[in-house]
Amino acid sequence: MFSRLARRCLSTDANRIGTAGLDWSNLGFDFRKTNGFVKYTWSEGKWDAGVVESEPYFNVHVMSSAIHYGQGLFEGTKAHACADGVPRLWNIGGNATRMQTGARRMMIPEVPEEMFLEACHRAVQENLEFLPPYGSGGSMYLRPILFGHGPQLGLQPAPQYTFAVLAMPVSSYYKGGGLNAVSVQVMEEYDRAAPLGVGNVKVSGNYGADILPSIQARAQGFPTVLYLDAKKKKFIEEFSVSNFIGIKYGQNGQKKYITPKSDTILMSCTNLMLMKLAPQMGYEVEHRPVELSELSSFDEVAGCGTAVVLMGVKDINMKNAKYSYESITHVEGLYNLFRSIQFGETQDIHNWGTPLRGFEHTETNYSPRPVRSVITDIRTRHLGEDVADILRKPLISSEPRKTTSKPKKHKSKKLSRRKLLELLRKKTIIPEQRVLRH
């Protein structure tokens, strides 16, 4: 199907990358016209083969359900030119799954995963000239969108749907770039999502409702806002366009990575990845309801998402309170590890990066650094931790253990110490083969 979609011969020539002549170091996060986008149409119960559109417009009926009833959702992911010369799409399988979840909630035909992946690959292929070159710090932002259209006056599912993937070069979401810490305002006058509503899926209307609060906050000098739960105003939900992370240093080198859990929060794909990396960096991960009162207990605070990656926070402001954070050192450590994997500088042990189709067999002499080496450098040189303590602890995969058979039952109720130790070695929660050696 991928070959049938080709409107022109797919080029695997790496020389196309970054030849659009843009100022790659000053892209910002804005729309730029590129070569085109990929579009599929659902009608009469099936998706078509897809086309590439060169002009950035849709031709839809005036009574489309997306316009009148908000029957639409979108995703956000990225592609990067990596250190070995291979363009890679970042965690697109996670975005495909999340869009399917949103489609079910909004009564929109699901986009098959293979079609989603194919569209993302094709969008990058069509626009390789606009893929920021390695070393520029930029990336190609991919915006998959899915919405209903066609003549439909009554409130019911649309007769037709469009799935499209746009691709455009971007750098930092907030002005200043990188991890420059920002001031945040707690939004006390507006709610992001209602209980039992659609806050946990990426529907367009959730973001439309955030425009007014965000504009008002920016006028007061706050680049973003932090929302609370709508029911009690007691629990932290999320920032305007990113999930909330709180870091606690703790005693004896114990560190915690804490992020809110709620049925009204849109779970960030970036956050899910960071929750896997955090244990490898020595953090205990807590994904749980987080009370507003806990703001004073955090040593560092950050936001995370596809667009921002990680956003440092220097203070959080309410009408009658202000919470300040003097450091983003640990946030920066996580950011450096995450970005080094994104750009292929560090081994991608979770296989989040997918080589662009046509580049899978590119020959390269580049070898990414082992994860353990990078983590040790960050924890010792950046965070000042004891290297001996780090090396004593094996680097354990954060993936849950998978078993293929039930453990054997032992009839004897009393076991000798020697027998017990043998059983523990065999049945240990983290068996020896789960240790990742780099």
Side-chain angles (χ1 to χ4, degrees):
M1 183 176 179
F2 184 76
S3 60
R4 286 189 285 109
L5 276 176
R7 193 169 68 172
R8 65 188 186 198
C9 294
L10 295 179
S11 171
T12 59
D13 184 3
N15 291 329
R16 284 180 58 206
I17 296 173
T19 58
L22 302 178
D23 183 359
W24 301 113
S25 61
N26 293 293
L27 291 172
F29 199 88
D30 299 296
F31 171 79
R32 291 177 187 272
K33 189 177 185 303
T34 56
N35 294 334
F37 66 94
V38 183
K39 184 184 78 172
Y40 298 75
T41 301
W42 185 94
S43 181
E44 298 181 353
K46 62 181 180 180
W47 291 101
D48 68 11
V51 296
V52 175
E53 298 284 357
S54 59
E55 294 299 319
Y57 301 102
F58 291 118
N59 184 15
V60 297
H61 196 278
V62 68
M63 286 304 304
S64 293
S65 64
I67 299 173
H68 295 267
Y69 306 125
Q71 194 186 22
L73 54 144
F74 68 95
E75 275 297 324
T77 185
K78 286 180 177 178
H80 306 86
C82 294
D84 59 359
V86 176
R88 287 183 174 83
L89 286 72
W90 186 245
N91 192 39
I92 51 176
N95 293 99
T97 299
R98 192 169 68 174
M99 177 167 268
Q100 289 178 338
T101 300
R104 289 192 293 270
R105 174 62 179 86
M106 299 300 289
M107 292 198 71
I108 297 176
E110 292 183 30
V111 175
E113 182 175 359
E114 177 53 34
M115 192 176 98
F116 185 100
L117 304 184
E118 175 185 275
C120 291
H121 279 276
R122 185 57 187 275
V124 177
Q125 283 277 8
E126 289 289 333
N127 296 286
L128 272 178
E129 296 86 349
F130 294 90
L131 177 64
Y134 173 72
S136 67
S139 57
M140 177 167 281
Y141 182 77
L142 303 179
R143 171 59 64 84
I145 56 176
L146 178 61
F147 63 93
H149 57 91
Q152 184 66 59
L153 179 59
L155 182 60
Q156 55 185 323
Q160 295 180 326
Y161 295 88
T162 286
F163 168 64
V165 178
L166 292 72
M168 61 202 77
V170 298
S171 54
S172 298
Y173 187 82
Y174 294 111
K175 290 182 179 180
L179 271 174
N180 292 330
V182 301
S183 294
V184 176
Q185 182 184 63
V186 174
M187 186 44 59
E188 301 176 69
E189 291 80 15
Y190 300 96
D191 295 322
R192 176 189 167 272
L196 306 181
V198 291
N200 64 329
V201 290
K202 203 171 178 70
V203 297
S204 306
N206 288 346
Y207 294 81
D210 179 50
I211 294 175
L212 176 61
S214 293
I215 293 296
Q216 291 179 344
R218 289 174 202 165
Q220 299 177 54
F222 303 106
T224 190
V225 299
L226 178 63
Y227 286 99
L228 307 177
D229 75 290
K231 190 173 182 178
K232 296 182 178 180
K233 298 289 187 181
K234 179 181 178 181
F235 296 96
I236 295 170
E237 292 268 291
E238 58 181 296
F239 295 108
S240 174
V241 293
S242 55
N243 279 182
F244 177 97
I245 299 169
I247 300 293
K248 287 185 178 181
Y249 298 160
Q251 297 179 346
N252 302 320
Q254 298 297 317
K255 304 174 296 185
K256 290 186 177 182
Y257 177 110
I258 302 169
T259 190
K261 184 176 183 179
S262 165
D263 292 337
T264 53
I265 291 176
L266 175 70
M267 194 63 206
S268 161
C269 292
T270 301
N271 199 2
L272 289 171
M273 289 184 279
L274 286 168
M275 288 168 67
K276 289 187 176 182
L277 291 179
Q280 297 168 1
M281 287 280 284
Y283 296 89
E284 177 186 348
V285 174
E286 293 183 3
H287 185 205
R288 59 171 175 78
V290 178
E291 293 193 12
L292 179 63
S293 60
E294 292 185 61
L295 285 177
S296 60
S297 68
F298 295 125
D299 294 292
E300 299 181 27
V301 168
C304 70
T306 298
V308 300
V309 183
L310 274 163
M311 168 194 74
V313 173
K314 64 180 178 181
D315 51 63
I316 297 177
N317 300 268
M318 300 183 67
K319 289 179 179 178
N320 300 313
K322 180 175 181 177
Y323 305 90
S324 298
Y325 308 97
E326 297 181 357
S327 173
I328 56 169
T329 302
H330 285 253
V331 174
E332 188 175 10
L334 287 166
Y335 175 85
N336 290 340
L337 174 60
F338 191 87
R339 293 280 280 176
S340 69
I341 299 172
Q342 273 191 325
F343 286 102
E345 298 160 353
T346 297
Q347 285 181 336
D348 179 10
I349 62 174
H350 297 286
N351 296 316
W352 289 325
T354 303
L356 181 64
R357 292 176 182 177
F359 285 80
E360 303 97 322
H361 306 296
T362 301
E363 294 184 4
T364 176
N365 294 322
Y366 184 86
S367 297
R369 290 184 63 193
V371 173
R372 174 174 286 284
S373 173
V374 175
I375 288 176
T376 301
D377 278 355
I378 292 173
R379 295 181 64 179
T380 56
R381 298 179 184 179
H382 186 72
L383 303 181
E385 296 181 14
D386 183 0
V387 65
D389 183 60
I390 295 171
L391 295 176
R392 278 197 300 269
K393 299 176 182 178
L395 180 62
I396 304 298
S397 169
S398 55
E399 293 287 351
R401 183 190 178 195
K402 295 180 180 179
T403 56
T404 56
S405 61
K406 294 182 179 180
K408 295 180 180 179
K409 294 182 179 180
H410 298 275
K411 295 180 180 180
S412 176
K413 293 183 180 180
K414 294 183 179 180
L415 299 173
S416 67
R417 179 179 175 84
R418 180 178 178 182
K419 186 67 175 178
L420 180 61
L421 288 174
E422 290 177 355
L423 288 174
L424 285 173
R425 279 195 290 270
K426 293 178 181 178
K427 305 297 181 182
T428 180
I429 296 174
I430 305 176
E432 185 177 357
Q433 59 265 31
R434 292 291 288 159
V435 178
L436 303 176
R437 305 189 185 280
H438 301 286

